[in-house]
Amino acid sequence: MIVLFKNLNTATKIISLIVLMAIALGLVGYNGYYYNSKANESMGEMYNDRLKWLNALRGQSRAIEAITLEITNPSSLKSEESSYKKEIQDRVQESDKLWSDYTKTQLEPYEKERILQYEQSLKGWRESQAKVLELASAGQKEEAYRYFKKNATPHVDKLNVLLKDLADYNAKKADEAKVQVDKDSAFANKLLIGIPLLAVVISLVIGIWIARMIANPLKKMLVSVQAVADGNLAVKPLDATANDEVGQLAAAFNTMTAKLHHLVKQVAQTAGKLNDASRELVIVAQDNSATMQQIAASTEEISAGLETVSASTQEITASSENMGANINQVSQTADEGVNIAKT
């Protein structure tokens, strides 16, 4: 795989990287879209859960009120009071749990203000309810009923009004949140889809432009290098205006071809000078050959003259010997004449 990628041309390599980046951007956009949708759903569910808790709490409050009133009913049986009280206790626990879940959420100032009022009214209601149950257990059901109407009812009514206000407020907020969430979600989804798509398009355009900006000079350079390799040094200089590696490579290639052209020119000039020198040497050699021929002829003449001189010398030597013999002979003759004269 690495060898295959290595053998691809430069433009294909760059475009491959751009495509991989585009795929990565697409995955990022998809994940953003998915989790944004989930977050929007969670926001809607939060308001829906709060509204559900409040409505359930309203139901529990009404049920506790009704059971308490049932206990104060003179016609209710004494044996049923314990089950009623047990049911009230269970509903109170469920109400406290619902209220706790609601108050643990992110509340707004409007809700916090009514929560304080609710808890104050709830305290009064439960104190009044305890007194009502105490009177009913003592058999004073009419007195319990009157106490309920006089002391408990205002608290119960206030609780129900506050719960209704909170429920209506959360219902309104849920509707507003749904509208806003849908609007924000639609806008966010457009961004999450549009931005990656725009980034992909821009990346592809820029990638192709960069690939061509790198590959086209390299192609021209390859043609010029092949021409130089074939012996053609008359190639046009490459565009070396860029300051990147491609521009530096083009400038180096232009410098190399210029130096090669200058070197070849010098070699040609030197070859011409050597050719002229060779011609001069040939002429000098021819002149030397004629001179040597003249020297040889002169040497032959001198040799012939020396032979003549040698012959003359031999003749002179022979004459000198004859002359010496004659002189000896004359000397002897003279001696003989002297001797004869003496006699």
Side-chain angles (χ1 to χ4, degrees), residues 57-324:
L57 187 57
R58 291 174 66 190
Q60 292 291 351
S61 177
R62 289 295 185 183
I64 292 170
E65 179 186 4
I67 295 170
T68 303
L69 283 172
E70 183 62 25
I71 292 175
T72 64
N73 188 355
S75 61
S76 63
L77 300 175
K78 184 71 175 178
S79 60
E80 296 177 344
E81 287 185 9
S82 60
S83 63
Y84 285 153
K85 289 179 180 180
K86 178 65 170 61
E87 185 176 356
I88 288 174
Q89 185 178 1
D90 292 341
R91 288 183 180 276
V92 167
Q93 290 179 353
E94 180 65 21
S95 298
D96 289 342
K97 183 179 182 303
L98 292 170
W99 183 250
S100 176
D101 290 339
Y102 170 70
T103 55
K104 288 178 181 177
T105 60
Q106 186 176 357
L107 301 172
E108 297 187 11
Y110 178 88
E111 295 174 289
K112 292 179 180 179
E113 179 182 353
R114 277 149 185 80
I115 285 173
L116 292 175
Q117 297 176 15
Y118 176 86
E119 291 178 347
Q120 291 173 357
S121 298
L122 180 63
K123 181 179 179 182
W125 155 238
R126 288 185 176 175
E127 290 175 352
S128 300
Q129 183 190 37
K131 182 65 177 177
V132 169
L133 294 176
E134 182 182 351
L135 291 171
S137 297
Q140 301 176 10
K141 294 190 176 183
E142 292 182 0
E143 181 66 22
Y145 179 77
R146 286 194 296 269
Y147 187 88
F148 181 90
K149 286 297 184 180
K150 181 179 179 181
N151 296 290
T153 299
H155 295 299
V156 172
D157 292 341
K158 183 67 176 293
L159 288 175
N160 290 328
V161 169
L162 289 172
L163 288 175
K164 184 178 184 303
D165 287 345
L166 290 172
D168 292 342
Y169 180 80
N170 278 273
K172 180 182 177 183
K173 282 293 182 181
D175 292 338
E176 292 176 354
K178 186 177 185 306
V179 172
Q180 187 63 38
V181 163
D182 291 342
K183 185 185 298 183
D184 293 342
S185 177
F187 180 72
N189 290 336
K190 288 179 181 178
L191 290 179
L192 289 171
I193 295 174
I195 291 176
L197 286 177
L198 181 62
V200 168
V201 173
I202 293 175
S203 299
L204 288 174
V205 172
I206 293 177
I208 294 172
W209 176 66
I210 293 175
R212 289 180 178 177
M213 186 172 61
I214 295 174
N216 289 341
L218 289 177
K219 289 180 181 178
K220 293 180 181 178
M221 194 177 302
L222 179 61
V223 173
S224 298
V225 169
Q226 290 175 342
V228 172
D230 293 336
N232 180 16
L233 296 178
V235 293
K236 293 182 179 180
L238 298 173
D239 183 10
T241 55
N243 293 324
D244 57 0
E245 289 79 359
V246 176
Q248 294 173 2
L249 184 60
F253 177 80
N254 291 338
T255 302
M256 181 192 72
T257 53
K259 289 185 177 180
L260 284 174
H261 189 272
H262 179 69
L263 180 62
V264 170
K265 185 178 180 180
Q266 285 184 333
V267 170
Q269 291 176 351
T270 303
K273 291 179 180 179
L274 288 175
N275 188 29
D276 294 339
S278 298
R279 291 178 181 177
E280 291 178 359
L281 287 175
V282 170
I283 294 172
V284 169
Q286 291 176 352
D287 293 341
N288 288 337
S289 178
T291 302
M292 292 300 295
Q293 289 178 356
Q294 291 178 357
I295 291 171
S298 299
T299 301
E300 290 177 356
E301 290 178 359
I302 292 170
S303 177
L306 288 175
E307 290 177 356
T308 303
V309 170
S310 176
S312 299
T313 301
Q314 289 176 357
E315 290 178 0
I316 291 172
T317 300
S319 298
S320 297
E321 290 177 353
N322 291 328
M323 186 179 293

